[in-house]
């Protein structure tokens, strides 16, 4: 599945993405001028990749949409559709941290992670149907597959962070304020002590603490500054159309 997916061209990927977008169970926010700001930021970050070791972006132009949910999150699908939630836009406090989150998602597009996930799902569904998994085989079989996929996803997350680090340094010349979002997430997480490693094993993302340390270590290893000026967001960015919330 991985080998086939990597041969899919940008036009075919866009066609696949267009089909997926119509099938996704999300409500998008329409007629919100924040979308223009987000699209300009995403396209600018995409263009910045030419100045990094990753080279020019090989994925279609980014298309940004806002999801109507208070959950703080961002995601991408095949075809370069980048979704950010209302919750995320209300939570971010600077362009630096918003740009890092978006750059991380661009990293997934660069590595073709959405297409790879789609290809693996199709293969797994086909194999499951042929073997009768879930009906005639023990439940441990799909569970083992899920754990293998979780490990692969953690590698993808770290690779996407590395891509984001390079984009952020290219754009701002430093990594200051880029990690503020993750630092707030870490502050809300429960410290499980020795059980943290068990928790990480069960999830697709690295632990937030480890993620922050890895990002900081990568900046330091490249000799890149973690101190610098903050780039503010437009006024009332957390509210639709930049209008005062509740007004």
């Amino acid at each position: 599945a991985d080998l086939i997916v990597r041969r899919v061209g940008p036009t075919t990927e866009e066609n696949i993405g267009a089909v997926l977008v119509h099938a996704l169970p999300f409500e998008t926010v329409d007629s919100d001028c924040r979308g223009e700001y987000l699209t300009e930021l995403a396209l600018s970050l995409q263009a910045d990749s030419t100045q990094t070791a990753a080279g020019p972006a090989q994925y279609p132009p980014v298309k940004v949409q806002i999801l109507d949910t208070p959950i703080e999150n961002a995601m991408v699908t095949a075809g370069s559709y980048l979704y950010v939630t209302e919750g995320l836009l209300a939570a971010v406090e600077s362009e630096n941290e918003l740009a890092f989150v978006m750059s991380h998602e661009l990293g997934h597009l660069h590595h073709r992670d959405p297409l790879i996930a789609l290809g693996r799902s199709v293969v797994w569904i086909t194999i499951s149907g042929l073997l009768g998994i879930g009906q005639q085989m023990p439940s441990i079989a799909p569970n083992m597959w899920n754990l293998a996929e979780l490990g692969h996803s953690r590698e993808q997350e770290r690779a996407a962070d590395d891509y984001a680090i390079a984009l952020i340094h290219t754009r701002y010349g430093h990594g200051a304020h880029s990690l503020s979002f993750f630092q707030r997430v870490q502050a809300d997480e429960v410290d499980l002590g020795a059980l943290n490693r068990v928790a990480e094993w069960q999830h697709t993302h690295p632990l937030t603490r480890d993620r922050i340390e890895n990002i900081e270590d990568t900046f330091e290893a490249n000799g890149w500054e973690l101190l610098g000026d903050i780039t503010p967001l437009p006024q009332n960015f957390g509210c639709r159309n930049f209008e005062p919330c509740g007004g």
Side-chain angles (χ1 to χ4, degrees), residues 26 38 64-67 69 71-77 81-89 92 97-106 108 157 181-182 205 211:
F26 300 126
L38 292 167
V64 183
Q65 291 185 302
I66 303 172
L67 297 181
T69 172
I71 298 172
E72 299 174 18
N73 204 357
M75 60 173 284
V76 286
T77 66
Y81 290 88
L82 195 164
Y83 294 93
V84 294
T85 66
E86 286 268 37
L88 176 67
L89 300 185
V92 291
E97 59 182 281
L98 174 63
F100 191 97
V101 173
M102 295 179 71
S103 295
H104 172 89
E105 299 304 325
L106 295 182
H108 284 306
E157 293 299 327
F181 176 76
F182 301 114
H205 288 62
R211 189 176 187 180

Side-chain angles (χ1 to χ4, degrees), residues 216-236:
E216 291 176 338
D217 289 345
T218 302
F219 269 102
E220 183 178 352
N222 284 283
W224 296 340
E225 289 291 336
L226 269 168
L227 300 176
D229 296 332
I230 192 171
T231 300
L233 290 163
Q235 188 174 8
N236 297 321

Side-chain angles (χ1 to χ4, degrees), residues 65-197:
Q65 291 185 302
I66 303 172
L67 297 181
D68 187 9
T69 172
I71 298 172
E72 299 174 18
N73 204 357
M75 60 173 284
V76 286
T77 66
S80 296
Y81 290 88
L82 195 164
Y83 294 93
V84 294
T85 66
E86 286 268 37
L88 176 67
L89 300 185
V92 291
E93 299 177 355
S94 70
E95 184 187 278
N96 308 72
E97 59 182 281
L98 174 63
F100 191 97
V101 173
M102 295 179 71
S103 295
H104 172 89
E105 299 304 325
L106 295 182
H108 284 306
L109 292 178
H110 177 78
H111 297 116
R112 315 206 81 178
D113 292 340
L115 276 178
I116 291 173
L118 177 63
R120 291 182 174 191
S121 297
V122 171
V123 170
W124 174 242
I125 291 171
T126 302
I127 294 174
S128 299
L130 292 173
L131 298 180
I133 290 178
Q135 298 178 354
Q136 301 175 6
M137 294 185 67
S139 60
I140 189 173
N143 288 337
M144 290 177 64
W145 172 272
N146 289 337
L147 290 174
E149 285 299 283
L150 288 174
H152 184 86
S153 294
R154 285 195 295 272
E155 294 175 3
Q156 291 174 329
E157 293 299 327
R158 293 189 180 97
D161 275 347
D162 289 342
Y163 185 88
I165 291 168
L167 284 188
I168 292 301
H169 176 260
T170 297
R171 182 175 184 84
Y172 301 107
H174 60 80
H177 313 287
S178 300
L179 303 181
S180 300
F181 176 76
F182 301 114
Q183 289 165 343
R184 291 195 300 275
V185 170
Q186 182 188 15
D188 293 334
E189 290 180 345
V190 177
D191 188 355
L192 301 177
L195 293 178
N196 277 337
R197 292 301 171 188

Side-chain angles (χ1 to χ4, degrees), residues 29 31-39 66 86 89-90 236-242:
V29 178
S31 302
D32 189 334
C33 58
R34 290 180 300 174
E36 298 177 9
Y37 170 87
L38 292 167
T39 298
I66 303 172
E86 286 268 37
L89 300 185
N236 297 321
F237 181 73
C239 311
R240 295 187 182 184
N241 293 306
F242 303 111

